[in-house]
Amino acid sequence: MVATLFIDGVWRAASDNGFHDVHSPHDQSVVATVSQATEADVDDAIAAARRSFDSGIFTSWSFKERSDLVSKIADLLERDADLIARKESDDTGKRFTEAQYDLADVISTFRHFAALGAKEHGRKVDVGLPHVHSQIVHEPLGVASLIGPWNYPLLQIAWKVAPALVAGCSFIVKPSELTPQSAIALMKIIEEAGTPKGVANLILGPGSVVGTLLINDPRVDLVSFTGGLTTGQTIMRAAAQTIKKLALELGGKNPHIIFADADLDAAIDNAVTAAFLHSGQVCSAGTRLIVERSIHDRVVSEIVRRAAKIRLGGPSDEMAETGPLISAAHLRNVSEYVEKGVAEGATLLVGGKRSELPEHANGWYYLPTVLDNAKSSMYCVQEESFGPVMTVEVFDTEAEAIAIGNDTNFGLSGGVWSSDSEKAARVASALRHGTIWVNDFGPYRPAAEWGGYKQSGIGRELGEHGLGEYLEIKHIWTNNAPSRSGWFRD
């Protein structure tokens, strides 16, 4: 019997003893066996979260006390970082060293919110009346469903769990069924740190079974979801029934603009990383290269040369530079995406197929791919492949670069390369995306907000606003010299 559900402070098996195996994307070996929750299990988890919140067992803690708890969790994560990184590496197929970087970011996230929670919350409002005390207070929002993706399993969950704890919310975590091990490890640490019973709950299973309940249940006050646009749209429709608060991060199709006056060596190197890191399975991946026409041949030929040299390999391959795709279904989707791009008129310059190396035969490896001569109207330019596929477009003027960069329904991130600081600032300001990197691509810090414009989602994670998503704002007006209003006659 597998007991990997955490409900109301107890580790337990699914109510029907259901379970499923987690397979490595590297070689399809079984890396874990975990419980698969039933609808009854989800109901129990929501009930436990609702009960703990309404009891005041955690909301009665001060911000300082909750921040101390989150700081302790960070310490415990640091203690177990390599163990958890190994579990995440097994689940995702990414290199162990890459998973170690992710765990460092997870720890930084918990430390950021611990420090943020220790600050003063609320403010006084001067209403011009000496006998009135008017203040704004921040209170825990309620019960939250926290639904994470498979590409950065623990990091994306940490972006939700850490502020939820600091705010005083109760919650149910649902990681992707493809990558559950690090979330299980986190929940054990949350328990060890002394989180009150029922505050933190863990449900495992496919979204089609358990996710729907976590979204629709009227006892849930907030849904925070990171994942695909279609699921996000479903969540928004469902949330309308009970007017839930939503925080949605739905990916992007991110422009990476290189002007002719850029440091081309640095720009090319960053373009390769932006597109092919983690085999493109990054919501902010810079897979839409937009390059000034006069430097197109130089930039693209060098990117193609470097893409062809990228070494693919599994978690334990110390020479590997990137790993497999997450599943057979995703490999099939990426393959079809590239085929459609070529059919639309894009020119395949490198890649465009599954790796044929014998050591990759049992894994989901797809070669880094570059599609040149792309146009904004193409499916491969407008839609997200979530794979190692770069499309290339050209521009002649600054205005054209901006127009192309904004010609998307998404708006998560983008990059601009130019040695002209004023031009770079103009372009960065004009791009309708939540994060813009100038002469860089990809870095973030927990102190800076993260989120998108348009169909990349609503709300923000990280920064100060990331905590605000889990707080209600209340105005309390206290009249210390009460008197009759005198509005109506006796």
Side-chain angles (χ1 to χ4, degrees):
M1 184 172 65
V2 183
T4 54
L5 307 181
F6 189 64
I7 300 173
D8 205 15
V10 177
W11 289 97
R12 68 187 225 188
S15 56
D16 64 353
N17 289 321
F19 62 89
H20 79 275
D21 293 330
V22 180
H23 294 269
S24 167
H26 166 59
D27 59 8
Q28 301 182 54
S29 61
V30 176
V31 295
T33 300
V34 301
S35 307
Q36 182 157 297
T38 65
E39 292 186 2
D41 297 323
V42 178
D43 185 74
D44 287 349
I46 296 172
R50 186 77 257 170
R51 188 164 54 246
S52 72
F53 184 82
D54 292 342
S55 75
I57 192 173
F58 195 45
T59 58
S60 61
W61 289 27
S62 67
F63 271 103
K64 175 64 166 58
E65 289 170 323
R66 295 195 296 261
S67 293
D68 288 345
L69 173 69
V70 171
S71 183
K72 185 176 181 180
I73 291 170
D75 291 340
L76 295 173
L77 283 166
E78 198 158 36
R79 180 197 68 189
D80 296 346
D82 282 355
L83 177 64
I84 300 172
R86 179 62 66 189
K87 293 178 182 295
E88 187 145 301
S89 181
D90 287 343
D91 282 1
T92 61
K94 69 173 63 173
R95 298 172 302 147
F96 175 60
T97 185
E98 196 171 328
Q100 287 178 305
Y101 280 117
D102 293 347
L103 260 292
D105 286 345
V106 168
I107 294 164
S108 294
T109 296
F110 275 89
R111 296 210 186 283
H112 160 69
F113 282 108
L116 187 61
K119 295 181 179 179
E120 184 67 28
H121 295 274
R123 69 181 192 276
K124 295 180 181 179
V125 179
D126 184 358
V127 297
L129 299 171
H131 58 284
V132 170
H133 180 261
S134 177
Q135 65 179 134
I136 303 298
V137 299
H138 294 167
E139 298 179 342
L141 178 68
V143 172
S145 292
L146 310 179
I147 305 173
W150 49 257
N151 60 331
Y152 288 91
L154 190 57
L155 183 61
Q156 296 293 325
I157 289 294
W159 286 13
K160 305 173 192 304
V161 167
L165 285 169
V166 169
C169 293
S170 294
F171 55 85
I172 308 99
V173 169
K174 196 209 88 67
S176 167
E177 64 272 21
L178 300 175
T179 55
Q181 288 196 83
S182 56
I184 296 170
L186 173 63
M187 200 60 62
K188 290 180 178 178
I189 283 176
I190 288 173
E191 179 188 21
E192 181 183 350
T195 305
K197 173 184 173 182
V199 168
N201 302 273
L202 176 68
I203 285 293
L204 305 176
S208 58
V209 176
V210 303
T212 302
L213 300 171
L214 292 172
I215 294 163
N216 291 337
D217 198 294
R219 293 169 293 180
V220 173
D221 303 298
L222 163 71
V223 176
S224 179
F225 169 79
T226 300
L229 173 61
T230 300
T231 303
Q233 292 169 330
T234 299
I235 291 172
M236 287 196 75
R237 285 192 292 269
Q241 302 305 310
T242 52
I243 318 298
K244 294 187 198 307
K245 186 173 182 180
L246 296 179
L248 304 176
E249 202 262 76
L250 306 177
K253 186 66 179 179
N254 310 293
H256 198 179
I257 300 171
I258 303 178
F259 285 91
D261 61 2
D263 179 335
L264 292 186
D265 180 64
I268 290 167
D269 181 74
N270 277 269
V272 172
T273 303
F276 303 126
L277 177 71
H278 194 15
S279 289
Q281 298 172 122
V282 183
C283 58
S284 57
T287 53
R288 187 182 183 188
L289 189 69
I290 302 169
V291 60
E292 193 162 354
R293 190 182 303 276
S294 63
I295 57 169
H296 167 273
D297 292 353
R298 176 182 172 185
V299 169
V300 173
S301 63
E302 181 61 11
I303 288 174
V304 167
R305 184 189 72 81
R306 292 191 56 179
K309 292 174 59 179
I310 292 174
R311 181 184 171 106
L312 307 181
S316 299
D317 185 347
E318 294 184 358
M319 299 300 293
E321 296 171 292
T322 192
L325 298 178
I326 190 65
S327 67
H330 190 44
L331 176 68
R332 184 166 55 252
N333 290 339
V334 172
S335 298
E336 292 173 354
Y337 177 96
V338 172
E339 291 169 3
K340 190 166 186 175
V342 172
E344 288 180 306
T347 304
L348 176 64
L349 298 182
V350 67
K353 62 182 180 179
R354 183 175 181 173
S355 171
E356 297 173 347
L357 294 177
E359 58 266 35
H360 297 156
N362 293 326
W364 315 124
Y365 288 91
Y366 195 85
L367 296 176
T369 298
V370 177
L371 295 174
D372 198 10
N373 298 316
K375 301 289 187 291
S376 291
S377 59
M378 292 179 176
Y379 176 89
C380 64
V381 171
Q382 289 298 324
E383 298 300 322
E384 188 178 30
S385 73
F386 223 63
V389 184
M390 175 191 289
T391 62
V392 183
E393 299 164 86
V394 295
F395 69 91
D396 294 299
T397 66
E398 179 182 326
E400 189 179 5
I402 293 168
I404 294 172
N406 283 333
D407 186 6
T408 171
N409 291 327
F410 294 104
L412 185 60
S413 67
V416 180
W417 288 82
S418 174
S419 61
D420 183 336
S421 60
E422 292 185 357
K423 176 169 66 178
R426 287 194 303 269
V427 176
S429 179
L431 289 173
R432 299 280 295 167
H433 302 267
T435 294
I436 300 295
W437 295 285
V438 175
N439 295 329
D440 210 336
F441 202 101
Y444 80 97
R445 292 294 183 272
E449 278 74 4
W450 181 265
Y453 290 23
K454 299 184 281 187
Q455 292 185 22
S456 283
I458 57 176
R460 290 295 182 270
E461 295 187 294
L462 302 179
E464 294 188 4
H465 285 78
L467 177 59
E469 297 287 352
Y470 296 86
L471 294 168
E472 289 281 20
I473 300 174
K474 179 183 288 183
H475 176 208
I476 301 176
W477 173 294
T478 303
N479 186 344
N480 293 307
S483 64
R484 298 180 62 176
S485 69
W487 189 265
F488 294 107
R489 294 186 296 273
D490 288 340

